[in-house]
Amino acid sequence: MENQDYENILNTMPGTGVYVIREEDHGILYFNKKAKEATPEAALGVPCRDVWGGSCAGCPLETMEDRRESRSVGYHDSYGGVVDITAARTLWEGRTPAVVLTVTPRAEDGFACRKLLRLDLEGDACTVLKSDGEGWQPQDGPLSLQLEDLARNGGVHPGDRARLAAYIRPEGLRDALRKGGTLLYRRRDAAGVRWNLMEVFPDLSGEDRFAVLCIRDVHGAPGEDPDSPEEQARPQPAYTRRDMQMAAILKSRFKMMNTVDLETGLCERVDLSRPTGPENTRSGDYSHFVQYALDRVVHPDDAGTYQEQLSLEHLRKKAETVEDFAEEVCLYRQLAGDEDPRWIELRVIYTRQQDGVTVNILGQDVTRAKCQEASRLQALEDRAAVISSLSSLFFSTYYINLEQDTFRAVVQMRRVGDILGEEVECSAAFQIYANHFIHPEDRQEYLQVMNTRNLRETLRWWNPCAAVEYRMAPGTPEEGRRVRATAVLAQTGPDDIPMTVVYVAQDISGSRRTEGETHG
């Protein structure tokens, strides 16, 4: 791959900090612009430990040993909280042993992380990556005794102690790690009762014995008063990650929510920017609301799309096909008198529950985002040595033309090229690759994300990335290894419609790559 190709890729990943660390003394040899913005203390020659507040907790350099690569999860306020950290060995300028360290913020749900611990499930130990000054204070050392202390003396609401005690047992943590389960519980502090969310997820080291435990303060998510008699008497389930993501959407992104009863056709509209109460809630016939909007609010050029996506008939038909969760997006212009129309985005969220499908329609004004000129790709003053060294992080790289549904391979595994042959149609290539190289259980999720229609509809300059993780298929040399595929917006056309995308695939299994395999 040419250096210019890597520079183009880096220009489309402005959220990642890149450092080059001298292996001998951990002095900094290079840092990119994002790294300087996030860690102003970064300077050539300064030990990386000093840049990260004097703490090496969670750094993959500490566990790298003689491996070529190492990965971990850490925490840094200037990167927005929880981060994925990757370390890859290289020769700086062809002669100095060094490590390329990349720091990438995790996509979070908008709620503050209070505690972050790296767990050794086999050794029954933990390392504290982050702990605020409130309540229970974990320390580096034994795990089970400290978690038991949290259940007994950590201010946990009496009604939630039994559930929390079951979750934090070794077998409970392993079960949550396998299933992705989380625990929503109440915690008492000086101000009253607050909702907290506990979740455990895999550490990136690739070793099953290690995991990461995160506790968030999620107070303010839609729901009942946590201290009310009715809520205390109600059984509290272990909420899934999707439940909390939904709560985060309501809290941080939207101002209005419409809940539609598909059986009666009634609609309840809630102003999320104000305290919950009858004075901020309106109820009525949903079809009447839709027709009123078509007659007085929706721009005539968008009326057809609005009617097609938001009619009660469409909602009912779509709900019949929903197995668990589905989401549709309606973008339209709202008339504003003598002023220019406002762009409104409506997200229609379908969630299947025991008694049927719940439909919530959430709206937000995206006029500013639609009207802003696409930001020019920020030029990174990367030297050729660090750009070239990043090749070890990606084993496949493609440029995709969404407008023409074509792709160009920059670097790909030799066997992938043999399978794809002369194929140049991107949609067909995604399907062929999935059929031959992706685990059967992961193919559907991969193709839901990695298809040209989805990329055209979802990628925008304010949402520049789409990613999916999958396992390599049984029977391949890479069987069982985990891969993260990322499509990054590179160029847009009129109305911010994506035109070209950079597609990269990265091995995140943490194991040593097979020697002799073609990478780039």
Side-chain angles (χ1 to χ4, degrees):
M1 182 190 291
E2 298 294 330
N3 286 344
Q4 183 61 44
D5 289 327
Y6 275 114
E7 189 167 359
N8 289 337
I9 294 172
L10 289 173
N11 283 340
T12 62
M13 296 182 177
T16 297
V18 179
Y19 307 79
V20 177
I21 310 297
R22 185 166 39 239
E23 193 164 348
E24 180 181 10
D25 60 4
H26 289 189
I28 295 178
L29 297 173
Y30 168 86
F31 49 87
N32 71 349
K33 187 171 182 179
K34 174 59 181 178
K36 185 63 175 177
E37 292 174 351
T39 53
E41 302 85 356
L44 298 182
V46 172
C48 56
R49 178 188 182 95
D50 295 345
V51 172
W52 286 74
S55 173
C56 295
C59 179
L61 294 179
E62 296 296 296
T63 57
M64 196 170 191
E65 298 178 343
D66 62 347
R67 289 175 294 173
R68 182 181 176 183
E69 294 184 11
S70 181
R71 296 174 173 84
S72 68
V73 175
Y75 186 92
H76 204 284
D77 285 325
S78 59
Y79 278 96
V82 183
V83 293
D84 291 336
I85 310 175
T86 299
R89 281 194 165 92
T90 187
L91 281 178
W92 175 252
E93 296 183 340
R95 61 179 184 273
T96 304
V99 176
V100 177
L101 200 70
T102 64
V103 183
T104 305
R106 284 206 166 198
E108 298 298 338
D109 51 21
F111 294 114
C113 174
R114 299 183 54 244
K115 317 285 182 185
L116 191 70
L117 284 69
R118 186 171 189 259
L119 311 182
D120 181 347
L121 296 176
E122 291 184 7
D124 192 29
C126 69
T127 301
V128 179
L129 304 179
K130 175 336 195 276
S131 180
D132 62 6
E134 297 183 6
W136 175 66
Q137 293 299 312
Q139 304 290 328
D140 293 353
L143 174 62
S144 295
L145 292 177
Q146 296 194 75
L147 291 179
E148 290 172 5
D149 181 64
L150 167 64
R152 291 194 305 265
N153 307 311
V156 178
H157 192 285
D160 298 332
R161 285 176 186 165
R163 292 188 304 108
L164 187 139
Y167 186 91
I168 61 177
R169 292 192 185 103
E171 59 272 20
L173 292 174
R174 291 185 182 278
D175 187 62
L177 191 60
R178 288 192 301 270
K179 299 179 180 179
T182 61
L183 179 76
L184 188 67
Y185 68 95
R186 290 161 289 179
R187 175 180 64 89
R188 293 188 180 276
D189 60 16
V193 177
R194 299 185 66 83
W195 284 111
N196 276 218
L197 176 74
M198 179 182 291
E199 65 176 330
V200 59
F201 50 85
D203 182 66
L204 298 181
S205 63
E207 299 184 50
D208 294 338
R209 65 182 293 176
F210 294 114
V212 177
L213 179 73
C214 182
I215 300 177
R216 304 181 188 279
D217 186 318
V218 296
H219 200 74
E224 303 291 342
D225 177 1
D227 213 20
S228 67
E230 295 81 3
E231 191 68 15
Q232 293 183 38
R234 183 181 304 171
Q236 299 298 325
Y239 280 63
T240 65
R241 181 188 297 270
R242 179 173 293 156
D243 293 329
M244 298 316 304
Q245 288 174 337
M246 288 282 290
I249 289 174
L250 299 179
K251 177 181 176 64
S252 63
R253 294 185 55 191
F254 297 95
K255 301 302 181 185
M256 300 296 297
M257 179 179 72
N258 299 275
T259 301
V260 183
D261 187 321
L262 297 180
E263 292 187 5
T264 65
L266 297 178
C267 172
E268 181 179 80
R269 184 172 187 177
V270 180
D271 187 341
L272 298 175
S273 65
R274 299 181 180 180
T276 303
E279 69 278 6
N280 297 317
T281 302
R282 293 176 56 194
S283 300
D285 182 78
Y286 174 72
S287 295
H288 173 75
F289 287 158
V290 171
Q291 190 60 50
Y292 179 89
L294 288 169
D295 293 341
R296 304 190 184 186
V297 177
V298 179
H299 192 285
D301 292 344
D302 300 329
T305 300
Y306 188 95
Q307 172 69 28
E308 179 182 349
Q309 293 186 270
L310 296 174
S311 68
L312 183 60
E313 292 74 18
H314 173 75
L315 299 187
R316 286 170 170 167
K317 184 176 180 180
K318 176 66 178 179
E320 293 176 356
T321 67
V322 173
E323 296 182 359
D324 180 21
F325 174 89
E327 181 177 6
E328 294 182 326
V329 178
C330 177
L331 188 66
Y332 72 95
R333 285 162 292 181
Q334 184 181 85
L335 300 177
D338 295 334
E339 300 180 2
D340 293 335
R342 310 288 299 176
W343 281 99
I344 304 297
E345 180 187 81
L346 297 179
R347 290 189 172 267
V348 186
I349 300 175
Y350 301 82
T351 308
R352 181 167 292 281
Q353 313 222 357
Q354 293 182 350
D355 56 350
V357 175
T358 299
V359 178
N360 292 305
I361 304 175
L362 301 119
Q364 63 176 338
D365 190 320
V366 294
T367 304
R368 178 179 298 179
K370 288 288 294 181
C371 295
Q372 284 180 337
E373 182 179 1
S375 299
R376 290 185 301 172
L377 299 177
Q378 192 173 25
L380 299 175
E381 301 174 350
D382 292 327
R383 297 168 63 176
V386 67
I387 295 176
S388 298
S389 66
L390 287 175
S391 63
S392 63
L393 300 180
F394 307 111
F395 65 83
S396 291
T397 307
Y398 301 85
Y399 286 129
I400 298 175
N401 187 320
L402 295 178
E403 194 173 31
Q404 300 177 8
D405 194 21
T406 59
F407 74 98
R408 174 171 67 87
V410 179
V411 167
Q412 65 181 358
M413 291 193 299
R414 189 178 297 110
R415 292 183 300 101
V416 176
D418 293 342
I419 294 295
L420 294 181
E422 300 299 320
E423 181 62 61
V424 295
E425 183 180 289
C426 188
S427 298
F430 279 137
Q431 186 69 57
I432 294 172
Y433 177 83
N435 291 342
H436 285 82
F437 296 97
I438 295 180
H439 194 288
E441 295 178 0
D442 298 339
R443 286 173 189 164
Q444 182 178 1
E445 181 181 3
Y446 174 87
L447 292 172
Q448 286 176 347
V449 177
M450 294 303 169
N451 67 79
T452 53
R453 179 177 179 181
N454 178 62
L455 297 179
R456 281 195 300 265
E457 292 177 350
T458 61
L459 293 180
R460 295 295 186 270
W461 71 263
W462 60 88
N463 182 40
C465 300
V468 63
E469 295 183 9
Y470 60 88
R471 294 163 292 175
M472 297 297 283
T476 64
E478 302 83 10
E479 178 178 353
R481 299 178 74 172
R482 297 197 67 85
V483 175
R484 178 185 291 127
T486 305
V488 187
L489 180 61
Q491 184 180 12
T492 60
D495 294 327
D496 294 321
I497 300 300
M499 296 177 61
T500 60
V501 166
V502 175
Y503 175 102
V504 294
Q506 182 180 19
D507 187 337
I508 60 172
S509 59
S511 60
R512 184 192 298 270
R513 288 195 174 102
T514 303
E515 293 185 6
E517 185 180 4
T518 301
H519 295 292

